[in-house]
Amino acid sequence: NIIDVTKGSSIQKSLDIENWIIWTAPPVSDIIWNNMQTIEQPITWLKSVFLSLLLFILCIVIVTPLTLLDKLAPIKDAAAFIAEEEIQDHYFMDILEAYFSPLIFFLFNYILVPYIINVIVDLEDFWRRSSRERSILRRNFFFIIFNTIFLPITGFLSINMFFENVF
């Protein structure tokens, strides 16, 4: 049973072969077979956007207080002036002020955020491993740039404005 699909045949017209787009199949090792039964739906995009926004808000909530820790020195001096006594353990407070904020920032940016991104991507049900890894890399890049450059800059500006208006 050979089907004739020569140019102008009725089968070719009914199948609309001229408008087909054909590309090579991905390697078998790149396919995530467990996710093949899932159909891409708008809810998948909404879930992805919602989870990314939650991570975005978490970044703001975690990184902005770290900028506050850098501004604690004037408050500590004011508290010592009000109490009219010097804080006895300057060395411990100086170490805490100098190393606590970068340590929390490092742990959050390079351990917690990539883990959360991996969990978010696992919830998205990608069909291919390469597209899953590409999504992880893009999000890690965005959030590390955001947390390292943009959020501290805006945090310092808004906190400086707050302290100038309050004090």
Side-chain angles (χ1 to χ4, degrees):
N1 250 348
I2 298 176
I3 299 174
D4 181 26
V5 283
T6 57
K7 192 168 187 151
S9 70
S10 62
I11 294 175
Q12 182 184 13
K13 289 178 184 173
S14 67
L15 294 176
D16 197 23
I17 294 175
E18 291 89 18
N19 294 326
W20 285 8
I21 299 172
I22 301 172
W23 59 87
T24 58
V28 176
S29 62
D30 191 32
I31 297 173
I32 304 173
W33 294 102
N34 294 336
N35 293 343
M36 290 303 288
Q37 76 275 5
T38 60
I39 300 171
E40 260 192 53
Q41 299 173 352
I43 192 115
T44 309
W45 270 91
L46 288 173
K47 181 170 60 172
S48 173
V49 168
F50 177 72
L51 292 172
S52 295
L53 283 174
L54 281 178
L55 180 60
F56 184 78
I57 291 169
L58 181 69
C59 289
I60 291 173
V61 167
I62 296 291
V63 174
T64 302
L66 292 177
T67 58
L68 280 173
L69 288 175
D70 293 334
K71 298 292 180 181
L72 284 180
I75 295 172
K76 182 184 80 167
D77 294 338
F81 179 74
I82 291 171
E84 294 183 7
E85 62 183 48
E86 285 293 316
I87 297 175
Q88 298 296 325
D89 198 4
H90 283 292
Y91 183 71
F92 178 73
M93 287 300 290
D94 291 340
I95 288 176
L96 186 65
E97 288 174 3
Y99 293 108
F100 186 70
S101 179
L103 177 67
I104 297 296
F105 189 73
F106 175 79
L107 291 175
F108 180 74
N109 245 2
Y110 298 108
I111 295 175
L112 189 63
V113 168
Y115 176 75
I116 294 172
I117 288 173
N118 198 14
V119 169
I120 289 172
V121 170
D122 281 343
L123 295 173
E124 290 181 12
D125 298 332
F126 282 96
W127 290 358
R128 296 176 59 188
R129 283 181 178 80
S130 59
S131 58
R132 179 185 180 281
E133 297 299 325
R134 191 176 327 119
S135 177
I136 289 172
L137 286 173
R138 285 180 180 159
R139 290 179 190 185
N140 275 320
F141 178 76
F142 169 76
F143 280 107
I144 286 176
I145 293 295
F146 176 74
N147 287 341
T148 306
I149 296 173
F150 296 115
L151 200 56
I153 289 173
T154 58
F156 282 130
L157 292 176
S158 61
I159 290 169
N160 282 338
M161 294 297 288
F162 174 75
F163 280 123
E164 286 175 7
N165 290 331
V166 171
F167 295 114

